[in-house]
Amino acid sequence: MSETTPAPDLSFEMPPALATQGFAVRPRTPQDTDFLRELYISFRWAELEAAGWPDAVRRSFLADQFRLQDNHYTTHYTTTAFLIITQNGAPVGRLYIDRGGVHEIRLVDIILVPMLTGQGIGSAIIRVLLDEAARTGRYVGLHVESYNPARRLYQRLGFVDRKPQGPYMFMTWGAGHPDDDLPFEGG
């Protein structure tokens, strides 16, 4: 990291309701790579169901996709806090937050193990970032695949579509986005 690139802000205060259930975050370590690969595979597995590939081929493809995504994130998101979500000390998800922007807090990624999805855990974690943005006068931005069910969650939390970018939709929450006074671009 160069002198002009600020160190990632690793702070994150787990909501009290989740903290009492043993949830916490910690910085990612090299020992987390196997867990993160398996988490990614579990998250993307169903998407490839229609391809009809044998499980070994699907697994190999997704492991490669994880490696490429992980390399992209760690190479290009130099001010991002790469956090592991834990429950009672065991890893159960990832939370990647970039606070390097003056006006934006970027939710780079959040994934929980499948057995914890749909229980309001991700929403509670995201609300911490929304509260931080409101307190600091920033907005929260993220990219989500247009077909990803998480997009509906983001909309329920108050995120608005900003701009389609390939298969992704850029969404924001809160005031202060430079395009707040401009009409939405696209579909």
Side-chain angles (χ1 to χ4, degrees):
M1 208 177 301
S2 73
E3 289 182 49
T4 59
T5 303
D9 179 351
L10 299 175
S11 66
F12 184 85
E13 189 169 331
M14 191 60 68
L18 293 181
T20 60
Q21 297 175 50
F23 286 96
V25 295
R26 63 168 173 76
R28 172 189 175 164
T29 69
Q31 291 76 27
D32 292 313
T33 302
D34 290 342
F35 164 74
L36 290 168
R37 183 185 342 42
E38 294 306 311
L39 179 67
Y40 180 88
I41 289 170
S42 72
F43 179 72
R44 305 306 293 244
W45 189 260
E47 287 178 37
L48 296 180
E49 191 72 37
W53 295 346
D55 286 355
V57 172
R58 190 177 351 175
R59 180 171 181 71
S60 177
F61 175 80
L62 289 171
D64 251 1
Q65 291 297 298
F66 164 76
R67 182 183 54 76
L68 292 167
Q69 182 193 64
D70 194 54
N71 182 62
H72 177 77
Y73 281 171
T74 57
T75 302
H76 297 286
Y77 289 81
T78 58
T79 57
T80 296
F82 295 99
L83 303 172
I84 300 296
I85 302 168
T86 62
Q87 185 176 29
N88 301 320
V92 296
R94 72 183 191 187
L95 176 63
Y96 297 170
I97 308 165
D98 188 343
R99 294 181 177 99
V102 173
H103 303 288
E104 178 187 29
I105 298 170
R106 176 67 59 103
L107 176 56
V108 177
D109 206 355
I110 181 171
I111 303 176
L112 293 165
V113 294
M115 65 184 234
L116 293 178
T117 61
Q119 299 179 30
I121 298 164
S123 296
I125 290 171
I126 293 168
R127 281 189 185 99
V128 170
L129 297 178
L130 303 182
D131 290 346
E132 177 183 342
R135 224 178 24 257
T136 61
R138 295 187 282 176
Y139 66 91
V140 177
L142 60 83
H143 284 94
V144 62
E145 292 98 346
S146 296
Y147 58 84
N148 188 326
R151 186 170 172 208
R152 288 190 302 278
L153 164 68
Y154 299 136
Q155 290 168 333
R156 281 194 308 271
L157 290 172
F159 282 83
V160 296
D161 292 344
R162 286 291 178 181
K163 184 178 184 179
Q165 296 174 327
Y168 300 97
M169 176 60 69
F170 179 61
M171 302 179 78
T172 64
W173 179 96
H177 186 274
D179 293 339
D180 275 345
D181 296 328
L182 300 177
F184 169 71
E185 297 177 30

